[in-house]
């Protein structure tokens, strides 16, 4: 039975509502340059923000809380669902402001990440969030970073008003497909989620024009919008998930899509059984790597995966995996290759590709030069020539390169010795834990 808390200290609320927020991963604070005007507290200059990440990769640099863990909805995967017997509480707008200001003064945080359960109705909750942000910005004069969740189903006007006070806004897609939503979050619909996303996108475009016309026009969601998908609660493949992400980037101008490995906190027959391996963190990691390739390396989802191979290789990062399937494009001559092709070489990142293009105007590059430019030669050496020569005598052969790439650091555990990478698929070796694989392929 639900315990009704009549009186609770702010510290007790903080314990409950920060713990309840830990499953929301969409919290990196990037891409904004709101300057303080010298009269208030804090600013968001990109260089002035620092982030730290917990061991599992989750961002912990912001005060990350729920406004309330009460919720009228009953999403099957959520610890705060209405049918769960958990202690419920809510902050007041004043309490969130006090915590943010006091933590900022003590240098504990750089900003605020505010999400919420749905209290009474989406509008009621969004009004409370608006009251909180209004007070923080206008009364407390807080000029630091604020990332806030838009509650699907809330009025457009409320979302618009909140958008003028926040730096980033996000609406969680929750599950990659409409079918997944129907199964696990029957109170939510794809339409309900995409509508506020579209609203934020349109308002951001409009706002750019306003800012060009009137220099002092207020900024609407200057750090852009993001979303989050839960991975592994429903049976979608990586290919489906990556296609959804690609389409969100293209159609809604999202700044980031966050992937959150499903954590089994509830028992429900609609959910996957709890696994001894814990949440699929390696799968989440591969999706982040692939997402990076979509956003910065010019890849398309259909180049990385397809219907025949719909999931990422457990042992190889998506770029290495792609290169091994396209050996006809390698080796690439580093002194001549186009920038776009350099970006596709494993071990060459955006910065090192730019450095190569710049430096080779001055003279012919050698492997020693590449190392200084940040190229990871232990991966790149199989795919590059410098002035027509490879770094070592090597075969351009999928199996040979794969074995060499996998043996660079650690020996494969006995459970997979003798197996080729082709015999393995995602999570098919129960004795080989995800952390072992992460270490091996890092
Ligand atoms: S609406 Fe949000 S807080 Fe409420 S049950 Fe669903 S996921 Fe949890």
């Amino acid at each position: 039975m639900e315990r009704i808390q009549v009186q609770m200290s702010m510290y007790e609320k903080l314990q409950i509502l920060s713990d309840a927020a830990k499953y929301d991963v969409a919290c990196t604070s990037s891409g904004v340059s709101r300057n303080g005007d010298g009269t208030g507290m804090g600013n968001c200059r990109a260089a002035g923000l620092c982030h730290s990440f917990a061991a599992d990769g989750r961002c912990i640099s912001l005060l990350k809380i729920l406004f309330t863990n009460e919720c009228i909805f009953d999403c099957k995967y959520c610890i705060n669902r209405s049918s769960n017997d958990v202690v419920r509480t809510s902050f007041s707008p004043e309490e969130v402001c006090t915590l943010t200001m006091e933590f900022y003064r003590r240098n504990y945080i750089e900003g605020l990440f505010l999400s919420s359960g749905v209290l009474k109705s989406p509008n009621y909750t969004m009004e409370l969030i608006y009251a909180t942000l209004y007070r923080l910005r206008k009364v407390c004069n807080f000029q630091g970073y604020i990332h806030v969740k838009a509650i699907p189903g809330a009025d457009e006007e409320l979302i618009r008003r909140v958008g003028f006070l926040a730096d980033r806004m996000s609406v969680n897609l929750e599950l990659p497909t409409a079918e997944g939503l129907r199964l696990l979050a029957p109170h939510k619909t794809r339409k309900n989620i995409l509508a506020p996303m579209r609203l934020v996108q349109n308002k951001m475009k409009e706002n750019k024009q306003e800012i060009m016309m009137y220099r002092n026009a207020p900024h609407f969601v200057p750090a852009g919008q993001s979303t989050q998908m839960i991975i592994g609660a429903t049976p979608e493949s990586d290919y489906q998930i990556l296609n959804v992400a690609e389409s969100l980037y293209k159609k809604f101008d999202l700044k980031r899509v966050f992937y959150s490995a499903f954590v089994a906190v509830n028992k429900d027959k609609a959910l996957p059984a709890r696994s001894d391996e814990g949440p699929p963190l390696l799968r989440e990691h591969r999706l982040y790597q692939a997402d990076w390739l979509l956003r910065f390396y010019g890849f398309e989802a259909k180049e990385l995966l397809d219907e025949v191979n719909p999931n990422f290789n457990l042992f190889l990062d998506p770029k290495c995996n792609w290169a091994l399937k396209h050996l006809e494009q390698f080796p690439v001559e580093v002194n001549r290759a186009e920038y776009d092709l350099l970006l596709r070489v494993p071990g060459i990142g955006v910065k090192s590709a730019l450095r190569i293009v710049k430096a080779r105007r001055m003279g012919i590059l050698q492997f020693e030069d590449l190392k200084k430019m940040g190229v990871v030669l232990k991966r790149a050496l199989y795919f590059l020539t410098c002035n027509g020569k490879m770094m070592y005598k090597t075969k351009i052969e999928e199996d040979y390169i794969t074995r060499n790439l996998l043996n660079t650091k650690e020996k494969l555990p006995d459970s997979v010795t003798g197996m080729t990478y082709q015999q393995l698929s995602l999570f098919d070796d129960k004795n080989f834990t995800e952390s072992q694989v992460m270490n091996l392929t890092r």
Side-chain angles (χ1 to χ4, degrees), residues 154-366:
D155 278 356
E156 288 193 1
E157 179 55 21
L158 272 170
I159 293 177
R160 200 187 65 81
R161 277 196 256 158
V162 170
F164 277 112
L165 298 168
D167 292 287
R168 174 167 288 183
M169 221 179 202
S170 50
V171 192
N172 283 354
L173 194 67
E174 305 289 17
L175 296 157
T177 59
E179 183 50 39
L181 272 181
R182 263 194 297 278
L183 186 71
L184 300 186
H187 301 94
K188 296 180 179 174
T189 63
R190 201 61 183 263
K191 199 171 148 213
N192 240 3
I193 294 169
L194 295 182
M197 237 185 230
R198 181 69 78 206
L199 172 80
V200 173
Q201 179 195 27
N202 290 340
K203 188 62 210 161
M204 276 165 56
K205 275 190 194 152
E206 214 179 279
N207 186 238
K208 274 191 188 142
Q209 301 291 329
E210 289 164 358
I211 292 165
M212 271 158 61
M213 281 162 64
Y214 311 103
R215 277 186 60 204
N216 291 330
H219 288 228
F220 181 86
V221 191
Q225 62 170 331
S226 55
T227 193
Q228 170 182 313
M229 281 190 269
I230 300 167
I231 304 308
T234 39
E236 292 89 1
S237 65
D238 293 345
Y239 181 50
Q240 283 173 292
I241 293 165
L242 208 61
N243 269 310
V244 171
E246 186 175 66
S247 151
L248 289 170
Y249 284 126
K250 284 184 181 161
K251 294 187 186 154
F252 289 86
D253 300 327
L254 287 201
K255 194 88 179 176
R256 288 294 306 269
V257 173
F258 291 89
Y259 307 91
S260 176
F262 169 64
V263 182
V265 289
N266 298 328
K267 268 194 180 161
D268 196 300
K269 58 181 187 315
L271 294 170
R274 201 168 293 195
S275 139
D276 294 342
E277 294 267 306
L281 291 177
L282 181 56
R283 187 177 177 199
E284 179 191 281
H285 180 61
R286 291 282 178 255
L287 283 163
Y288 275 117
Q289 289 176 319
D291 185 278
W292 206 257
L293 296 181
L294 297 186
R295 289 185 298 131
F296 301 110
Y297 287 76
F299 280 90
E300 290 184 40
K302 63 175 189 263
E303 292 181 274
L304 299 170
L305 293 169
D306 53 40
E307 299 286 356
V308 183
N309 296 298
N311 290 310
F312 285 113
N313 190 320
L314 186 61
F315 296 101
L316 292 166
D317 69 70
K319 192 167 158 190
C320 273
N321 199 46
W322 175 85
L324 286 163
K325 302 284 173 215
H326 294 84
L327 285 176
E328 73 286 353
Q329 301 196 24
F330 298 101
V332 158
E333 171 51 48
V334 84
N335 288 290
R336 280 194 304 275
E338 296 282 333
Y339 170 76
D340 290 353
L341 186 52
L342 285 176
L343 276 184
R344 294 188 166 225
V345 176
I348 296 187
V350 173
K351 276 190 191 158
S352 43
L354 283 170
R355 286 182 190 135
I356 289 170
V357 171
K358 215 169 150 193
R360 70 189 181 186
R361 288 187 207 133
M362 310 296 169
I364 291 174
L365 300 179
Q366 305 296 342

Side-chain angles (χ1 to χ4, degrees), residues 66 68-83 88 115-118 151-152 172 174 184-185 187-188 230:
L66 295 189
T68 178
N69 67 343
E70 294 190 42
C71 194
I72 54 172
F73 294 145
D74 200 40
C75 305
K76 295 194 164 61
Y77 48 82
C78 178
I79 186 77
N80 303 314
R81 64 181 183 173
S82 58
S83 58
R88 308 278 177 175
S115 185
S116 186
V118 183
I151 308 288
N172 283 354
E174 305 289 17
L184 300 186
H187 301 94
K188 296 180 179 174
I230 300 167

Side-chain angles (χ1 to χ4, degrees), residues 372-427:
K372 287 180 205 146
M373 288 174 199
V375 174
V376 184
L377 284 175
K378 71 176 183 188
R379 284 206 290 280
L381 70 93
Y382 304 100
F383 305 96
L384 281 180
T385 56
C386 269
N387 211 12
K389 289 194 188 118
M390 298 205 72
M391 192 166 162
Y392 304 117
K393 201 169 167 223
T394 179
K395 288 186 258 181
I396 309 288
E397 197 184 280
E398 186 180 347
D399 196 60
Y400 173 81
I401 299 175
T402 306
R403 285 179 181 281
N404 277 285
L405 284 172
L406 292 180
N407 284 325
T408 47
K409 269 201 154 181
E410 289 175 29
K411 195 176 171 295
L412 287 169
D414 289 347
S415 54
V416 290
T417 303
M419 298 169 88
T420 74
Y421 67 97
Q422 287 142 320
Q423 289 171 292
L424 296 164
S425 69
L426 213 58
F427 311 122

